[in-house]
Amino acid sequence: MNTAVQAWVKTNNLLATRSRPRHSNDNPFVEQKNGDIVRKDAFYYRYDTPRELAVLKALWPLVNVRKNLFTPTTKAVGYKISRSGRQVRAYDAPCTPADRVRLTGVMLPPQREALDQLYWDTDLAELTRRIHQLQQELIRLAEAKTQAQVQAQVQAQVS
């Protein structure tokens, strides 16, 4: 980090963390989400064209709705002692992220109503079909780029 960034972080009372090249476990929570959401829903391809960017921009809001409204998760709440006497993690009951926010009581009534309306207006089957269509489009675009690269390599070897 350079001194300008350090000064800005200090004046804004932020906690700055560092990551190192080739140390993927420096920020394991981000890496977990990259594997769980980004690579699962958008795969491992390299996207660098305007068309791919447009498909990704259409994909992410749909993935976020599905993850937040329809995918229950568990959260670690502490530790408990197993039968063998070892300390193991204890988890709460599965709950969607949207439900967790509802349970906190911090949402204003208009926000709660908007979230409830989004839930009731969303057809999970149609949402999943749309996500699948966008994923297939990403695969087609990646395949087309790969085929073009292979043909360029063959042309270079022939020349």
Side-chain angles (χ1 to χ4, degrees):
M1 243 188 297
N2 63 28
T3 56
V5 173
Q6 288 175 340
W8 181 83
V9 165
K10 190 173 186 177
T11 59
N12 289 301
N13 289 332
L14 298 174
L15 174 65
T17 60
R18 300 171 189 254
S19 65
R20 299 168 292 167
R22 295 172 297 286
H23 288 83
S24 62
N25 63 348
D26 274 356
N27 198 346
F29 301 111
V30 170
E31 294 302 322
Q32 177 186 2
K33 290 300 179 189
N34 282 342
D36 183 46
I37 295 174
V38 175
R39 291 186 185 93
K40 180 180 172 193
D41 291 313
F43 317 113
Y44 284 84
Y45 304 118
R46 180 181 183 94
Y47 303 117
D48 53 4
T49 66
R51 175 68 185 133
E52 291 166 339
L53 178 62
V55 173
L56 287 171
K57 282 184 176 182
L59 176 66
W60 291 129
L62 302 177
V63 168
N64 286 334
V65 167
R66 186 174 64 182
K67 292 281 184 197
N68 289 319
L69 293 181
F70 300 105
T71 307
T73 59
T74 58
K75 294 285 185 183
V77 293
Y79 290 94
K80 63 181 181 179
I81 304 298
S82 69
R83 290 184 188 177
S84 64
R86 294 180 55 205
Q87 200 175 35
V88 293
R89 294 292 287 216
Y91 295 90
D92 65 354
C95 187
T96 66
D99 289 336
R100 287 185 195 285
V101 171
R102 273 192 204 102
L103 292 173
T104 63
V106 298
M107 294 178 73
L108 297 173
Q111 294 171 323
R112 180 181 290 266
E113 290 168 11
L115 187 61
D116 290 341
Q117 192 63 44
L118 176 63
Y119 178 79
W120 290 113
D121 290 345
T122 304
D123 178 4
L124 181 57
E126 182 57 36
L127 178 68
T128 303
R129 276 191 286 277
R130 183 66 183 132
I131 289 171
H132 183 70
Q133 289 171 350
L134 292 169
Q135 288 172 330
Q136 293 304 311
E137 178 68 16
L138 285 174
I139 290 170
R140 280 192 293 279
L141 292 169
E143 183 180 22
K145 278 196 320 192
T146 302
Q147 292 297 330
Q149 289 174 349
V150 167
Q151 288 177 356
Q153 288 175 351
V154 168
Q155 291 295 328
Q157 290 175 353
V158 171
S159 300

Coordinates of all heavy atoms in Angstrom, one line a residue, residues 45-127:
Y45 N -14.2 -19.6 -17.2 CA -13.7 -18.9 -18.4 C -13.3 -17.5 -18.2 O -13.6 -16.9 -17.2 CB -14.9 -19.0 -19.4 CG -15.4 -20.3 -19.7 CD1 -16.7 -20.6 -19.4 CD2 -14.6 -21.3 -20.2 CE1 -17.2 -21.9 -19.7 CE2 -15.1 -22.6 -20.5 CZ -16.4 -22.9 -20.2 OH -16.9 -24.1 -20.4
R46 N -12.5 -17.0 -19.2 CA -12.1 -15.6 -19.1 C -13.1 -14.8 -20.0 O -13.3 -15.1 -21.1 CB -10.7 -15.5 -19.6 CG -10.2 -14.0 -19.6 CD -8.8 -14.0 -20.2 NE -8.3 -12.6 -20.1 CZ -7.6 -12.2 -19.1 NH1 -7.3 -13.0 -18.1 NH2 -7.2 -10.9 -19.0
Y47 N -13.7 -13.8 -19.4 CA -14.7 -13.0 -20.1 C -14.1 -11.6 -20.3 O -13.8 -10.9 -19.4 CB -16.0 -12.9 -19.3 CG -16.6 -14.2 -19.0 CD1 -16.7 -14.7 -17.7 CD2 -17.0 -15.1 -20.0 CE1 -17.2 -15.9 -17.4 CE2 -17.5 -16.3 -19.7 CZ -17.6 -16.7 -18.4 OH -18.2 -18.0 -18.1
D48 N -13.9 -11.3 -21.6 CA -13.3 -10.0 -21.9 C -13.9 -9.3 -23.1 O -13.2 -8.4 -23.6 CB -11.8 -10.2 -22.1 CG -11.4 -11.3 -23.1 OD1 -12.3 -11.8 -23.7 OD2 -10.2 -11.5 -23.2
T49 N -15.1 -9.7 -23.5 CA -15.7 -9.0 -24.6 C -16.9 -8.2 -24.1 O -17.5 -8.6 -23.1 CB -16.1 -10.0 -25.7 OG1 -17.2 -10.8 -25.2 CG2 -14.9 -10.8 -26.2
P50 N -17.4 -7.2 -24.9 CA -18.6 -6.5 -24.5 C -19.8 -7.4 -24.4 O -20.6 -7.2 -23.5 CB -18.7 -5.4 -25.6 CG -17.4 -5.3 -26.1 CD -16.7 -6.6 -26.0
R51 N -19.9 -8.4 -25.3 CA -21.1 -9.3 -25.2 C -21.1 -10.1 -24.0 O -22.1 -10.3 -23.3 CB -21.1 -10.2 -26.5 CG -22.2 -11.2 -26.5 CD -23.6 -10.6 -26.6 NE -24.6 -11.6 -26.5 CZ -25.7 -11.5 -25.7 NH1 -25.9 -10.4 -25.1 NH2 -26.5 -12.5 -25.7
E52 N -19.9 -10.6 -23.6 CA -19.8 -11.4 -22.3 C -20.1 -10.5 -21.1 O -20.8 -11.0 -20.2 CB -18.4 -12.0 -22.2 CG -18.1 -13.1 -23.2 CD -16.6 -13.4 -23.4 OE1 -15.8 -12.6 -23.0 OE2 -16.4 -14.5 -23.9
L53 N -19.7 -9.3 -21.2 CA -20.0 -8.4 -20.1 C -21.5 -8.1 -20.0 O -22.0 -8.1 -18.9 CB -19.3 -7.0 -20.3 CG -19.5 -6.0 -19.2 CD1 -19.1 -6.4 -17.8 CD2 -18.9 -4.7 -19.6
A54 N -22.2 -8.0 -21.1 CA -23.6 -7.8 -21.1 C -24.3 -9.0 -20.5 O -25.3 -8.9 -19.7 CB -24.1 -7.5 -22.5
V55 N -23.9 -10.2 -20.9 CA -24.5 -11.4 -20.3 C -24.2 -11.5 -18.8 O -25.1 -11.9 -18.0 CB -23.9 -12.7 -21.1 CG1 -24.4 -14.0 -20.4 CG2 -24.3 -12.7 -22.5
L56 N -23.0 -11.2 -18.4 CA -22.7 -11.2 -16.9 C -23.6 -10.2 -16.2 O -24.1 -10.5 -15.1 CB -21.2 -11.0 -16.7 CG -20.3 -12.1 -17.0 CD1 -18.9 -11.7 -16.9 CD2 -20.6 -13.3 -16.1
K57 N -23.8 -9.0 -16.8 CA -24.6 -8.0 -16.1 C -26.0 -8.5 -16.0 O -26.7 -8.0 -15.1 CB -24.5 -6.7 -16.9 CG -23.2 -5.9 -16.6 CD -23.2 -4.6 -17.3 CE -22.0 -3.8 -16.9 NZ -22.0 -2.5 -17.5
A58 N -26.5 -9.3 -16.9 CA -27.9 -9.8 -16.8 C -27.9 -11.0 -15.9 O -29.0 -11.2 -15.2 CB -28.3 -10.2 -18.2
L59 N -26.8 -11.7 -15.7 CA -26.8 -12.9 -14.9 C -26.8 -12.6 -13.4 O -27.5 -13.2 -12.6 CB -25.6 -13.8 -15.3 CG -25.4 -15.1 -14.5 CD1 -26.5 -16.1 -14.7 CD2 -24.0 -15.7 -14.8
W60 N -25.9 -11.7 -13.0 CA -25.7 -11.5 -11.6 C -26.9 -11.1 -10.7 O -27.1 -11.6 -9.6 CB -24.5 -10.5 -11.3 CG -23.2 -11.1 -11.7 CD1 -22.3 -10.6 -12.5 CD2 -22.7 -12.4 -11.4 NE1 -21.2 -11.4 -12.7 CE2 -21.4 -12.6 -12.0 CE3 -23.2 -13.5 -10.6 CZ2 -20.7 -13.7 -11.9 CZ3 -22.4 -14.6 -10.5 CH2 -21.2 -14.7 -11.1
P61 N -27.7 -10.2 -11.2 CA -28.9 -9.9 -10.4 C -29.8 -11.1 -10.2 O -30.4 -11.2 -9.1 CB -29.7 -8.8 -11.3 CG -28.6 -8.2 -12.1 CD -27.6 -9.3 -12.4
L62 N -29.9 -11.9 -11.2 CA -30.8 -13.1 -11.1 C -30.2 -14.1 -10.1 O -30.9 -14.7 -9.3 CB -30.9 -13.8 -12.5 CG -31.6 -12.9 -13.6 CD1 -31.6 -13.7 -14.9 CD2 -32.9 -12.4 -13.2
V63 N -28.9 -14.3 -10.2 CA -28.2 -15.1 -9.2 C -28.3 -14.6 -7.8 O -28.6 -15.4 -6.8 CB -26.7 -15.3 -9.6 CG1 -25.9 -15.9 -8.5 CG2 -26.5 -16.1 -10.9
N64 N -28.2 -13.3 -7.6 CA -28.4 -12.7 -6.3 C -29.8 -12.9 -5.7 O -29.9 -13.2 -4.5 CB -28.0 -11.2 -6.3 CG -26.6 -11.0 -6.4 OD1 -25.7 -11.8 -6.0 ND2 -26.2 -9.8 -7.0
V65 N -30.8 -12.8 -6.6 CA -32.2 -13.0 -6.1 C -32.3 -14.5 -5.7 O -32.9 -14.8 -4.6 CB -33.2 -12.7 -7.2 CG1 -34.6 -13.2 -6.9 CG2 -33.2 -11.1 -7.4
R66 N -31.8 -15.4 -6.5 CA -31.9 -16.8 -6.1 C -31.2 -17.1 -4.8 O -31.7 -17.8 -4.0 CB -31.4 -17.7 -7.3 CG -31.7 -19.2 -7.0 CD -31.3 -20.1 -8.2 NE -29.9 -20.0 -8.4 CZ -29.3 -20.6 -9.4 NH1 -30.0 -21.4 -10.3 NH2 -28.0 -20.5 -9.7
K67 N -30.0 -16.6 -4.7 CA -29.2 -16.9 -3.5 C -29.8 -16.3 -2.2 O -29.8 -16.9 -1.2 CB -27.7 -16.4 -3.6 CG -26.9 -17.1 -4.7 CD -26.4 -18.4 -4.1 CE -25.5 -19.0 -5.1 NZ -25.3 -20.4 -4.8
N68 N -30.3 -15.1 -2.4 CA -30.8 -14.4 -1.2 C -32.2 -14.7 -0.8 O -32.5 -14.7 0.4 CB -30.7 -12.8 -1.4 CG -29.2 -12.4 -1.4 OD1 -28.4 -12.8 -0.5 ND2 -28.9 -11.5 -2.2
L69 N -33.0 -15.1 -1.7 CA -34.4 -15.4 -1.4 C -34.7 -16.9 -1.3 O -35.7 -17.2 -0.6 CB -35.4 -14.8 -2.5 CG -35.4 -13.3 -2.5 CD1 -36.4 -12.9 -3.6 CD2 -35.8 -12.7 -1.2
F70 N -34.0 -17.7 -1.9 CA -34.4 -19.1 -2.0 C -33.3 -20.1 -1.6 O -33.6 -21.3 -1.6 CB -34.8 -19.4 -3.5 CG -35.9 -18.6 -3.9 CD1 -35.8 -17.6 -4.8 CD2 -37.2 -18.9 -3.5 CE1 -36.8 -16.8 -5.3 CE2 -38.3 -18.1 -3.9 CZ -38.1 -17.1 -4.8
T71 N -32.1 -19.7 -1.2 CA -31.1 -20.6 -0.8 C -30.8 -20.5 0.6 O -30.1 -19.6 1.1 CB -29.8 -20.4 -1.7 OG1 -30.1 -20.3 -3.0 CG2 -28.7 -21.4 -1.4
P72 N -31.3 -21.5 1.4 CA -31.0 -21.4 2.9 C -29.5 -21.8 3.2 O -28.9 -22.6 2.5 CB -31.9 -22.5 3.5 CG -32.4 -23.3 2.3 CD -32.1 -22.6 1.1
T73 N -29.0 -21.1 4.2 CA -27.7 -21.3 4.7 C -27.7 -21.5 6.2 O -28.7 -21.1 6.8 CB -26.7 -20.2 4.3 OG1 -27.3 -19.0 4.9 CG2 -26.6 -20.0 2.8
T74 N -26.6 -22.0 6.7 CA -26.5 -22.1 8.2 C -25.3 -21.2 8.6 O -24.4 -21.0 7.8 CB -26.2 -23.6 8.6 OG1 -25.0 -24.0 8.0 CG2 -27.3 -24.5 8.3
K75 N -25.4 -20.7 9.8 CA -24.4 -19.9 10.3 C -23.8 -20.5 11.6 O -24.5 -21.0 12.4 CB -24.9 -18.5 10.7 CG -25.4 -17.7 9.5 CD -24.2 -17.1 8.7 CE -24.7 -16.2 7.6 NZ -23.6 -15.8 6.8
A76 N -22.5 -20.4 11.7 CA -21.9 -20.9 12.9 C -22.3 -20.0 14.1 O -22.2 -18.8 14.0 CB -20.4 -20.9 12.8
V77 N -22.7 -20.6 15.2 CA -23.2 -19.8 16.4 C -22.3 -20.0 17.6 O -22.5 -19.4 18.6 CB -24.6 -20.1 16.7 CG1 -25.6 -19.6 15.6 CG2 -24.9 -21.5 17.0
G78 N -21.3 -20.9 17.5 CA -20.5 -21.2 18.6 C -19.9 -22.6 18.5 O -19.8 -23.2 17.5
Y79 N -19.6 -23.1 19.7 CA -19.0 -24.4 19.8 C -19.8 -25.3 20.8 O -20.5 -24.8 21.6 CB -17.6 -24.4 20.3 CG -16.6 -23.8 19.3 CD1 -16.3 -22.4 19.4 CD2 -16.0 -24.5 18.3 CE1 -15.5 -21.8 18.4 CE2 -15.2 -24.0 17.4 CZ -14.9 -22.6 17.5 OH -14.0 -22.1 16.6
K80 N -19.8 -26.6 20.5 CA -20.4 -27.5 21.5 C -19.4 -28.7 21.6 O -18.5 -28.9 20.9 CB -21.7 -28.0 21.0 CG -21.7 -28.8 19.7 CD -23.1 -29.2 19.3 CE -23.0 -30.0 18.0 NZ -24.3 -30.4 17.5
I81 N -19.7 -29.5 22.6 CA -18.8 -30.7 22.9 C -19.5 -31.9 22.3 O -20.7 -32.2 22.6 CB -18.6 -30.9 24.4 CG1 -18.0 -29.6 25.1 CG2 -17.7 -32.1 24.7 CD1 -16.7 -29.2 24.5
S82 N -18.7 -32.6 21.5 CA -19.3 -33.8 20.9 C -19.3 -35.0 21.9 O -18.8 -34.9 23.0 CB -18.5 -34.2 19.6 OG -17.2 -34.7 20.0
R83 N -19.8 -36.1 21.5 CA -19.9 -37.3 22.4 C -18.5 -37.8 22.7 O -18.3 -38.3 23.8 CB -20.6 -38.4 21.7 CG -22.1 -38.2 21.6 CD -22.8 -39.4 21.0 NE -24.2 -39.1 20.7 CZ -25.0 -39.9 20.1 NH1 -24.6 -41.1 19.7 NH2 -26.2 -39.5 19.9
S84 N -17.5 -37.6 21.8 CA -16.2 -38.0 22.1 C -15.4 -37.0 22.9 O -14.2 -37.2 23.2 CB -15.4 -38.3 20.8 OG -15.3 -37.0 20.0
G85 N -16.0 -35.9 23.2 CA -15.4 -34.9 24.1 C -14.7 -33.8 23.3 O -14.0 -32.9 23.9
R86 N -14.7 -33.9 22.0 CA -14.1 -32.8 21.2 C -15.0 -31.6 21.0 O -16.2 -31.7 21.0 CB -13.7 -33.4 19.8 CG -12.7 -34.5 19.9 CD -12.4 -35.1 18.5 NE -11.9 -34.0 17.6 CZ -12.0 -34.1 16.3 NH1 -12.6 -35.2 15.7 NH2 -11.6 -33.1 15.6
Q87 N -14.3 -30.5 20.8 CA -15.1 -29.3 20.6 C -15.4 -29.2 19.1 O -14.5 -29.2 18.3 CB -14.2 -28.1 21.1 CG -15.0 -26.8 21.3 CD -14.1 -25.7 21.9 OE1 -13.0 -25.6 21.5 NE2 -14.7 -24.9 22.7
V88 N -16.7 -29.0 18.7 CA -17.1 -28.9 17.3 C -17.9 -27.7 17.2 O -18.5 -27.2 18.1 CB -17.8 -30.2 16.9 CG1 -16.9 -31.4 16.8 CG2 -19.0 -30.5 17.7
R89 N -18.0 -27.2 15.9 CA -18.8 -26.0 15.6 C -20.3 -26.3 15.8 O -20.8 -27.4 15.4 CB -18.6 -25.5 14.2 CG -17.2 -25.0 14.0 CD -16.9 -23.7 14.7 NE -17.6 -22.6 14.1 CZ -17.1 -21.4 14.1 NH1 -15.9 -21.1 14.5 NH2 -17.8 -20.4 13.6
A90 N -21.1 -25.4 16.3 CA -22.5 -25.5 16.4 C -23.1 -24.5 15.4 O -22.6 -23.4 15.2 CB -23.0 -25.2 17.8
Y91 N -24.2 -24.9 14.7 CA -24.8 -24.1 13.7 C -26.3 -23.9 14.0 O -26.9 -24.8 14.6 CB -24.6 -24.8 12.3 CG -23.2 -24.9 11.8 CD1 -22.4 -26.0 12.1 CD2 -22.6 -23.9 11.1 CE1 -21.1 -26.1 11.7 CE2 -21.3 -24.0 10.7 CZ -20.6 -25.1 11.0 OH -19.3 -25.2 10.6
D92 N -26.8 -22.8 13.5 CA -28.2 -22.5 13.7 C -29.0 -23.3 12.6 O -28.5 -23.9 11.8 CB -28.5 -21.0 13.7 CG -28.2 -20.4 12.3 OD1 -27.7 -21.1 11.4 OD2 -28.5 -19.2 12.2
A93 N -30.3 -23.1 12.7 CA -31.2 -23.8 11.7 C -31.0 -23.1 10.3 O -30.7 -21.9 10.3 CB -32.6 -23.7 12.1
P94 N -31.2 -23.8 9.2 CA -31.0 -23.2 7.9 C -32.1 -22.1 7.7 O -33.2 -22.2 8.1 CB -31.3 -24.4 6.9 CG -31.0 -25.6 7.7 CD -31.4 -25.3 9.1
C95 N -31.6 -21.0 7.1 CA -32.4 -19.8 6.9 C -31.9 -19.1 5.7 O -30.7 -19.0 5.5 CB -32.4 -19.0 8.2 SG -33.5 -17.6 8.2
T96 N -32.7 -18.5 4.9 CA -32.2 -17.7 3.7 C -31.7 -16.4 4.2 O -32.1 -15.9 5.3 CB -33.4 -17.5 2.7 OG1 -34.3 -16.6 3.3 CG2 -34.0 -18.7 2.2
P97 N -30.8 -15.8 3.5 CA -30.3 -14.5 3.9 C -31.4 -13.4 4.0 O -31.4 -12.6 4.9 CB -29.3 -14.1 2.7 CG -28.8 -15.4 2.2 CD -30.0 -16.3 2.3
A98 N -32.4 -13.5 3.1 CA -33.5 -12.5 3.2 C -34.3 -12.7 4.6 O -34.7 -11.8 5.2 CB -34.5 -12.7 2.1
D99 N -34.5 -14.0 4.9 CA -35.2 -14.2 6.2 C -34.3 -13.8 7.4 O -34.9 -13.3 8.4 CB -35.5 -15.7 6.3 CG -36.6 -16.2 5.4 OD1 -37.4 -15.3 5.0 OD2 -36.7 -17.4 5.1
R100 N -33.0 -13.9 7.3 CA -32.1 -13.5 8.4 C -32.3 -12.0 8.6 O -32.3 -11.5 9.7 CB -30.7 -13.8 8.1 CG -30.4 -15.3 8.3 CD -28.9 -15.6 8.1 NE -28.7 -17.0 7.9 CZ -28.7 -17.9 8.9 NH1 -29.0 -17.5 10.1 NH2 -28.6 -19.2 8.6
V101 N -32.3 -11.2 7.5 CA -32.5 -9.8 7.6 C -33.9 -9.5 8.2 O -34.0 -8.6 9.1 CB -32.3 -9.1 6.2 CG1 -32.7 -7.6 6.3 CG2 -30.9 -9.2 5.7
R102 N -34.9 -10.2 7.8 CA -36.3 -10.0 8.3 C -36.3 -10.2 9.8 O -36.9 -9.4 10.6 CB -37.2 -10.9 7.7 CG -37.8 -10.5 6.4 CD -39.0 -11.3 6.0 NE -39.2 -11.3 4.6 CZ -38.9 -12.2 3.7 NH1 -38.3 -13.3 4.1 NH2 -39.1 -12.0 2.5
L103 N -35.6 -11.2 10.3 CA -35.6 -11.6 11.7 C -34.8 -10.6 12.6 O -35.1 -10.5 13.8 CB -35.0 -13.0 11.9 CG -35.8 -14.1 11.3 CD1 -35.0 -15.4 11.5 CD2 -37.1 -14.2 12.1
T104 N -33.9 -9.8 12.0 CA -33.2 -8.8 12.8 C -34.1 -7.7 13.2 O -33.8 -7.0 14.2 CB -32.0 -8.2 12.0 OG1 -32.5 -7.5 10.9 CG2 -31.0 -9.2 11.6
G105 N -35.2 -7.4 12.5 CA -36.1 -6.3 12.8 C -35.6 -4.9 12.5 O -36.1 -3.9 12.9
V106 N -34.5 -4.8 11.7 CA -33.9 -3.5 11.3 C -34.6 -3.0 10.0 O -34.4 -1.8 9.7 CB -32.4 -3.6 11.1 CG1 -31.7 -4.0 12.4 CG2 -32.0 -4.5 10.0
M107 N -35.4 -3.7 9.3 CA -36.0 -3.3 8.1 C -37.2 -2.4 8.4 O -38.0 -2.7 9.3 CB -36.5 -4.5 7.2 CG -35.3 -5.3 6.7 SD -35.9 -6.7 5.8 CE -36.5 -5.9 4.3
L108 N -37.3 -1.3 7.6 CA -38.5 -0.4 7.7 C -39.6 -1.1 7.0 O -39.4 -2.0 6.1 CB -38.2 0.9 7.1 CG -37.1 1.7 7.7 CD1 -36.8 2.9 6.9 CD2 -37.4 2.1 9.1
P109 N -40.9 -0.8 7.4 CA -42.0 -1.5 6.7 C -42.0 -1.4 5.2 O -42.3 -2.4 4.6 CB -43.2 -0.8 7.3 CG -42.7 -0.3 8.7 CD -41.3 0.0 8.5
P110 N -41.7 -0.3 4.6 CA -41.7 -0.3 3.1 C -40.6 -1.3 2.5 O -40.9 -1.9 1.5 CB -41.3 1.2 2.7 CG -41.6 2.0 3.9 CD -41.4 1.1 5.1
Q111 N -39.5 -1.3 3.2 CA -38.4 -2.3 2.7 C -38.9 -3.7 2.9 O -38.7 -4.6 2.0 CB -37.1 -2.1 3.5 CG -36.5 -0.8 3.3 CD -35.3 -0.5 4.3 OE1 -35.4 -0.9 5.5 NE2 -34.3 0.1 3.8
R112 N -39.5 -4.0 4.0 CA -40.0 -5.4 4.3 C -41.1 -5.7 3.2 O -41.1 -6.8 2.7 CB -40.6 -5.5 5.7 CG -41.2 -6.8 6.0 CD -41.7 -6.9 7.4 NE -40.7 -6.8 8.4 CZ -40.1 -7.8 9.0 NH1 -40.5 -9.0 8.6 NH2 -39.2 -7.7 9.8
E113 N -42.0 -4.8 2.9 CA -43.0 -5.0 1.9 C -42.4 -5.2 0.5 O -42.9 -6.1 -0.2 CB -44.0 -3.9 1.9 CG -44.9 -3.8 3.2 CD -45.7 -2.5 3.3 OE1 -45.7 -1.7 2.3 OE2 -46.2 -2.2 4.4
A114 N -41.4 -4.5 0.2 CA -40.8 -4.6 -1.1 C -40.1 -6.0 -1.2 O -40.2 -6.6 -2.3 CB -39.8 -3.5 -1.3
L115 N -39.4 -6.4 -0.1 CA -38.8 -7.7 -0.1 C -39.8 -8.8 -0.2 O -39.7 -9.8 -1.0 CB -38.0 -7.9 1.1 CG -37.1 -9.1 1.2 CD1 -36.1 -9.2 0.1 CD2 -36.4 -9.2 2.5
D116 N -40.9 -8.7 0.5 CA -42.0 -9.7 0.4 C -42.6 -9.7 -0.9 O -42.9 -10.8 -1.5 CB -43.1 -9.4 1.5 CG -42.6 -9.6 2.9 OD1 -41.6 -10.4 3.1 OD2 -43.3 -9.1 3.8
Q117 N -42.8 -8.6 -1.5 CA -43.4 -8.5 -2.9 C -42.5 -9.2 -3.9 O -42.9 -9.9 -4.8 CB -43.7 -7.1 -3.3 CG -44.5 -6.9 -4.5 CD -45.9 -7.6 -4.3 OE1 -46.6 -7.4 -3.3 NE2 -46.4 -8.3 -5.3
L118 N -41.2 -8.9 -3.8 CA -40.2 -9.5 -4.7 C -40.3 -11.1 -4.5 O -40.2 -11.8 -5.5 CB -38.8 -9.0 -4.4 CG -37.6 -9.7 -5.2 CD1 -37.8 -9.4 -6.6 CD2 -36.3 -9.2 -4.6
Y119 N -40.4 -11.5 -3.3 CA -40.4 -13.0 -3.1 C -41.7 -13.6 -3.7 O -41.6 -14.6 -4.4 CB -40.5 -13.3 -1.6 CG -40.6 -14.7 -1.2 CD1 -39.5 -15.6 -1.3 CD2 -41.8 -15.3 -0.9 CE1 -39.6 -16.9 -1.0 CE2 -41.9 -16.6 -0.6 CZ -40.8 -17.4 -0.7 OH -40.9 -18.8 -0.4
W120 N -42.8 -12.9 -3.6 CA -44.1 -13.5 -4.1 C -44.1 -13.3 -5.6 O -44.8 -14.1 -6.3 CB -45.3 -12.9 -3.4 CG -45.4 -13.3 -2.0 CD1 -45.2 -12.6 -0.9 CD2 -45.6 -14.7 -1.5 NE1 -45.3 -13.4 0.2 CE2 -45.6 -14.7 -0.1 CE3 -45.9 -15.9 -2.2 CZ2 -45.8 -15.8 0.6 CZ3 -46.1 -17.0 -1.4 CH2 -46.0 -17.0 0.0
D121 N -43.5 -12.3 -6.2 CA -43.5 -12.1 -7.6 C -42.5 -13.0 -8.4 O -42.6 -13.1 -9.6 CB -43.2 -10.6 -8.0 CG -44.4 -9.7 -7.6 OD1 -45.5 -10.2 -7.3 OD2 -44.1 -8.5 -7.5
T122 N -41.5 -13.5 -7.7 CA -40.5 -14.3 -8.3 C -40.9 -15.8 -8.5 O -41.2 -16.4 -7.5 CB -39.2 -14.2 -7.5 OG1 -38.8 -12.9 -7.3 CG2 -38.0 -14.9 -8.2
D123 N -40.9 -16.2 -9.7 CA -41.1 -17.6 -10.0 C -39.8 -18.3 -10.1 O -39.0 -18.1 -11.0 CB -41.8 -17.7 -11.4 CG -42.1 -19.1 -11.8 OD1 -41.8 -20.1 -11.1 OD2 -42.6 -19.3 -13.0
L124 N -39.5 -19.2 -9.1 CA -38.2 -19.8 -9.0 C -37.8 -20.6 -10.2 O -36.7 -20.6 -10.6 CB -38.1 -20.7 -7.7 CG -36.8 -21.4 -7.4 CD1 -35.7 -20.4 -7.3 CD2 -36.9 -22.2 -6.1
A125 N -38.8 -21.4 -10.7 CA -38.6 -22.2 -11.9 C -38.2 -21.3 -13.1 O -37.2 -21.6 -13.8 CB -39.8 -23.0 -12.3
E126 N -38.9 -20.2 -13.3 CA -38.6 -19.3 -14.4 C -37.2 -18.6 -14.2 O -36.4 -18.5 -15.1 CB -39.7 -18.3 -14.6 CG -39.4 -17.4 -15.8 CD -39.2 -18.0 -17.1 OE1 -39.9 -19.1 -17.4 OE2 -38.4 -17.6 -17.9
L127 N -37.0 -18.3 -13.0 CA -35.7 -17.6 -12.6 C -34.5 -18.6 -12.9 O -33.5 -18.2 -13.5 CB -35.7 -17.3 -11.1 CG -34.4 -16.6 -10.6 CD1 -34.2 -15.3 -11.2 CD2 -34.5 -16.6 -9.1

